[in-house]
Amino acid sequence: MSSRMLDACLLTFALLLVSCAQAPGDAAQSAAAHEAGVDPALDAPQEEVPPATVPGAARALAPLAADFSGFGPVPFGSDAQALRLAWGGPLEGGGEAQGDADACHYLFPQPRPAHGYGTGFMVEGGRFVRVDVDDPAATAPGGGRIGMAASEIAALYPGRIEERPHKYVDGAKYLRVTRDGSEAVLLFETDAQGRVEEWRIGLPPQVDYVEGCG
């Protein structure tokens, strides 16, 4: 056998091995890509793509990041039905369960987190008046977050903070943030060490209800 024929046989054998090693699905995709004129290497994702998720708190608080007006298209003072329609998902709670639709109550997005309440929308007198947040992943208007020190909050909102002592915890504080042109108040609640534990935003007097609807 000549060297040229030997080389041809070896090349054919190598191609057969590559064909057998390729998974059926990969082969089919390669063939389809070849017919469509697409380079399979360019068609493949360049990194792992995580599953789509829509965290309740993140979805709820994203519209609040811009200003103090309310939740997305629903300003503070709107009726509870407008809030339900804007949320687009299940909200549990309501004054109807207490026999008084005008009574102060919360609406909680579902499902609730394993710890804490996540996000709660306060309704009183049939009006949406406040949002409460204890989710560390959520960012308040202006950049404040749970876990920040009081000094960090002061740096984010210079000249706009009024400190008030906590009603129950010695050394803890309420940090009330106001904004020109808005009657709403952003309030950070700290522990005795000065770390933010939760925050809320809403209209007075409801934003200053220490026990919520209690």
Side-chain angles (χ1 to χ4, degrees):
M1 179 181 296
S2 67
S3 60
R4 181 173 298 178
M5 292 181 63
L6 179 60
D7 291 342
C9 290
L10 290 175
L11 178 59
T12 302
F13 182 66
L15 291 174
L16 287 173
L17 287 176
V18 171
S19 177
C20 291
Q22 187 175 25
D26 293 341
Q29 291 178 358
S30 297
H34 178 73
E35 291 178 4
V38 178
D39 185 347
L42 297 177
D43 191 48
Q46 299 302 307
E47 58 186 13
E48 290 188 9
V49 180
T53 58
V54 185
R59 181 172 67 173
L61 274 296
L64 285 174
D67 55 40
F68 283 31
S69 64
F71 163 59
V74 187
F76 291 122
S78 300
D79 60 43
Q81 183 59 23
L83 180 62
R84 290 181 182 275
L85 291 174
W87 177 255
L91 291 173
E92 286 193 358
E96 296 83 357
Q98 307 169 22
D100 184 358
D102 288 334
C104 180
H105 61 274
Y106 279 96
L107 297 175
F108 294 102
Q110 302 301 307
R112 299 278 288 275
H115 303 287
Y117 56 83
T119 304
F121 300 105
M122 179 187 283
V123 177
E124 185 173 47
R127 299 185 307 128
F128 165 47
V129 292
R130 166 172 152 177
V131 181
D132 292 53
V133 180
D134 74 349
D135 184 348
T139 302
R145 296 172 68 95
I146 291 171
M148 282 186 170
S151 59
E152 294 177 287
I153 297 298
L156 287 172
Y157 310 93
R160 298 164 54 194
I161 296 178
E162 176 193 358
E163 288 191 5
R164 294 183 180 181
H166 198 283
K167 184 176 181 179
Y168 299 112
V169 182
D170 291 339
K173 296 182 182 298
Y174 302 115
L175 308 177
R176 300 178 83 257
V177 182
T178 57
R179 177 173 180 170
D180 291 342
S182 175
E183 61 177 320
V185 173
L186 172 61
L187 191 152
F188 296 94
E189 187 171 334
T190 77
D191 59 16
Q193 287 70 47
R195 292 282 175 183
V196 175
E197 291 190 314
E198 57 185 274
W199 58 271
R200 56 186 181 265
I201 185 170
L203 302 176
Q206 291 89 354
V207 73
D208 292 308
Y209 289 175
V210 176
E211 294 87 5
C213 286

